[in-house]
Amino acid sequence: QVQLVESGGGLVQAGGSLRLSCAASRNIFMIPVMGWYRQAPGKQRELVATITSGGRTNYADFVKGRFAITRDNIESTVYLQMNSLTPEDTAVYYCNTEPPRTDWGQGTQVSVSS
């Protein structure tokens, strides 16, 4: 199965931006849908955004207009551009297939201060 490594998290002030990366251990061209997920302290993991192999995207309502998911099938990397961050976006962010079919990585911590 494909292994995924997330990176790019950090601490930012409200209103700031971050770009997350998800590097896959093998080519992701044949994976129909990739997704970004997040898990805030004390909450269940939730789906943030998805992207098909053809580039069609879908977003959770709470990130629409602020986040953008892209994928580079040649580089086997999925990105999440996050703008206008709020403290409610604080969470560990993960990538996986959608639905999740591979082991979860360690994720990348995103912390947004007010």
Side-chain angles (χ1 to χ4, degrees), residues 23-52:
S25 60
R26 64 170 177 81
N27 195 292
I28 61 172
F29 180 76
M30 296 302 293
I31 298 177
V33 186
M34 292 293 297
W36 279 98
Y37 303 75
R38 72 185 187 185
Q39 187 168 20
K43 295 186 178 181
Q44 289 189 334
R45 187 174 285 149
E46 59 186 356
L47 181 63
V48 174
T50 60
I51 185 166
T52 68

Side-chain angles (χ1 to χ4, degrees), residues 1-91:
Q1 63 178 355
V2 63
Q3 294 180 325
L4 303 165
V5 178
E6 302 91 349
S7 63
L11 173 63
V12 295
Q13 290 187 332
S17 298
L18 284 172
R19 189 192 194 207
L20 307 184
S21 299
C22 169
S25 60
R26 64 170 177 81
N27 195 292
I28 61 172
F29 180 76
M30 296 302 293
I31 298 177
V33 186
M34 292 293 297
W36 279 98
Y37 303 75
R38 72 185 187 185
Q39 187 168 20
K43 295 186 178 181
Q44 289 189 334
R45 187 174 285 149
E46 59 186 356
L47 181 63
V48 174
T50 60
I51 185 166
T52 68
S53 57
R56 188 171 67 232
T57 59
N58 196 34
Y59 298 93
D61 286 344
F62 51 80
V63 303
K64 277 182 181 176
R66 301 188 298 123
F67 290 13
I69 185 172
T70 56
R71 67 191 279 173
D72 186 329
N73 289 329
I74 295 175
E75 295 296 328
S76 297
T77 304
V78 183
Y79 301 97
L80 185 68
Q81 178 67 44
M82 307 187 297
N83 301 322
S84 302
L85 286 161
T86 73
E88 289 69 35
D89 295 316
T90 294

